[in-house]
Amino acid sequence: MCFRPAEVQMNICKECGKANKPIATVCEQCGAPLEKKMSDFDADQAKLDAAAVPPTSPASPGAPKPPSAPSV
């Protein structure tokens, strides 16, 4: 099994633009309060997985049909 670490997004200050740690509540550079962001990584991954699945196409018109059960 391959381990892939979670992707972490830095918390960008809207006042000065400094990239702060994701758990920071105030900007390290200017002291402005930072937005509290919560990410649902499972939901994000599910969206990516759903987008990667190709749409199913209808069966070809010339393809043989599966056999049916005999009627009694």
Side-chain angles (χ1 to χ4, degrees), residues 13-16 20 25-35:
C13 177
K14 294 196 183 272
E15 297 296 322
C16 68
N20 295 276
T25 56
V26 294
C27 178
E28 295 172 0
Q29 184 167 318
C30 70
L34 298 172
E35 290 183 11

Side-chain angles (χ1 to χ4, degrees), residues 12-52:
I12 307 297
C13 177
K14 294 196 183 272
E15 297 296 322
C16 68
K18 168 132 176 76
N20 295 276
K21 295 177 184 175
I23 59 171
T25 56
V26 294
C27 178
E28 295 172 0
Q29 184 167 318
C30 70
L34 298 172
E35 290 183 11
K36 188 73 169 171
K37 295 190 297 185
M38 296 299 291
S39 295
D40 185 350
F41 293 110
D42 291 334
D44 293 343
Q45 187 62 47
K47 288 178 190 174
L48 291 172
D49 291 345

